[in-house]
Amino acid sequence: MRHGIARALIFAVCGLWLAACNTTGDLANQSAQPPPADMASAAPPADNAPAAADPTTTGTVPAPLGVPAAAEPGLLGSDPNDELSLGKKMYRANNFGLAETHFRRAVELHPRDAEAWLGLAASYDRLRRFDLADRAYNEAIKIVGATVEILNNQGFSYMLRGDFKRAREKLRAADRKDPGNKYVANNLHLLQESIRQGKQVE
């Protein structure tokens, strides 16, 4: 009789232990799942966007999140310590060298993320590595097409180079896609001022 009770207690304890393991495993699996597919096209939170009062910064329009390749877990930028988030943080702090490093690592890890390419292009613009900026813009365009955000940034890039004709072309194309967009309008105004003063944006 005692052996029967002891066995029943052992089975009960083992059953509880296994049930606890299963619950923990289910929670771990849920937290490891990537976010819903519709999040891939959502705009980043407003605090990630550069201030509207400063139209001179490349990237004044919040960039769309790129769509990570299917094999890549999670969504880039959802972790405050991932390369994309660190790149944005360094860019906002005007530390363009470190921003470039983080954005470059982001595109190496997630080559299908358009936002990472756009951040890399903007960093190259600020470092005046326009040849590399052009390559990064082209990679972003391959992923999401010539969006308003990319056209706006390219227009600003050409302003930095003093190429006002190409800057106007890109900014007008952005304005046609999204008439009245305040970021594009700010850059068009900045372009007119630069032409009037006869000097490139710094």
Side-chain angles (χ1 to χ4, degrees), residues 8-83:
L9 284 173
I10 289 170
F11 283 123
V13 170
C14 287
L16 286 172
W17 180 77
L18 288 172
C21 286
N22 191 30
T23 303
T24 306
D26 288 344
L27 289 174
N29 287 339
Q30 288 174 4
S31 65
Q33 288 177 348
D38 61 344
M39 290 296 291
S41 60
D47 62 336
N48 286 344
D54 181 12
T56 63
T57 51
T58 300
T60 49
V61 178
L65 293 176
V67 181
E72 297 168 350
L75 187 62
L76 198 56
S78 58
D79 176 355
N81 294 312
D82 71 16
E83 297 296 345

Side-chain angles (χ1 to χ4, degrees), residues 49-50 57-63 91 118 122 137 149 152-153 156 183 187:
T57 51
T58 300
T60 49
V61 178
Y91 190 91
L118 194 56
Y137 284 126
E149 295 82 6
N152 181 62
N153 284 15
F156 184 82
Y183 302 107
N187 276 342

Side-chain angles (χ1 to χ4, degrees), residues 11 47 60 64 69-70 73 80 87 89 94 105 114-115 118 123 138 144-145 151 157 177-179 183 185 192 196 202:
F11 283 123
D47 62 336
T60 49
K89 182 178 178 182
N94 295 326
R105 288 178 186 159
E115 187 178 21
L118 194 56
S123 300
N138 288 336
V144 293
L151 290 167
S157 178
K177 281 181 176 265
D178 187 7
Y183 302 107
Q192 291 308 315
R196 189 177 61 77
E202 295 183 12

